[in-house]
Amino acid sequence: AECQHREKQRLSDLQVMLNNIYSSKGVLKYTQDYKQQLGCSVRGIKKNIRNVDKELESASMDCLVLDRRYRNFRNNVVAQAHECKFEMQRLMALLENDSYSDNEQDDQDIADSEHF
């Protein structure tokens, strides 16, 4: 009777061990699947990051070109505005001058004297 009780206890312990092994196998399989899915996700994210890096590099180059164009445009506009202002001041000086002459050199001298 004692021997049968030990055998039953031993079988019960072996059944618990076997159940634990099956459970461990299930957890291991789930972990492997999760690791594989995580690896796929990480690869996808890395690919997306590379694509974003390429887009940023392209946008950065475009931004530099546009900034250079804008600065050139701005400088041209400012230069043209100064030139226009100078010409308008010269014209105003000619209009305000009571002693208008047909001599272009005299007109230039008057405009230069007003400019400086």
Side-chain angles (χ1 to χ4, degrees):
E2 182 68 31
C3 196
Q4 285 181 343
H5 179 66
R6 281 191 208 159
E7 285 177 10
K8 284 183 183 181
Q9 186 65 37
R10 178 120 178 145
L11 285 174
S12 176
D13 290 345
L14 289 174
Q15 186 64 47
V16 168
M17 288 174 52
L18 187 61
N19 291 342
N20 287 340
I21 289 173
Y22 280 125
S23 296
S24 297
K25 181 181 175 186
V27 169
L28 180 61
K29 178 67 176 153
Y30 174 80
T31 304
Q32 287 173 338
D33 291 345
Y34 183 78
K35 181 181 176 185
Q36 185 178 6
Q37 290 175 353
L38 188 62
C40 289
S41 297
V42 167
R43 284 190 295 276
I45 290 171
K46 285 181 180 180
K47 182 180 177 182
N48 289 340
I49 288 173
R50 283 192 299 271
N51 290 339
V52 168
D53 282 344
K54 287 177 187 176
E55 290 295 324
L56 284 175
E57 185 177 338
S58 175
S60 173
M61 294 302 230
D62 291 345
C63 184
L64 289 175
V65 168
L66 291 175
D67 184 55
R68 192 173 307 124
R69 286 182 185 169
Y70 168 73
R71 278 189 273 126
N72 289 339
F73 171 76
R74 185 187 63 201
N75 291 341
N76 288 338
V77 168
V78 169
Q80 288 175 1
H82 285 305
E83 185 178 330
C84 184
K85 182 180 176 186
F86 172 73
E87 292 295 329
M88 293 302 287
Q89 287 173 343
R90 182 174 170 213
L91 180 61
M92 192 65 179
L94 287 174
L95 291 172
E96 291 175 345
N97 186 6
D98 293 334
S99 59
Y100 177 77
S101 71
D102 291 334
N103 188 347
E104 195 174 298
Q105 183 58 40
D106 291 341
D107 294 341
Q108 183 64 36
D109 292 341
I110 292 169
D112 288 343
S113 67
E114 292 290 326
H115 182 65
F116 298 107

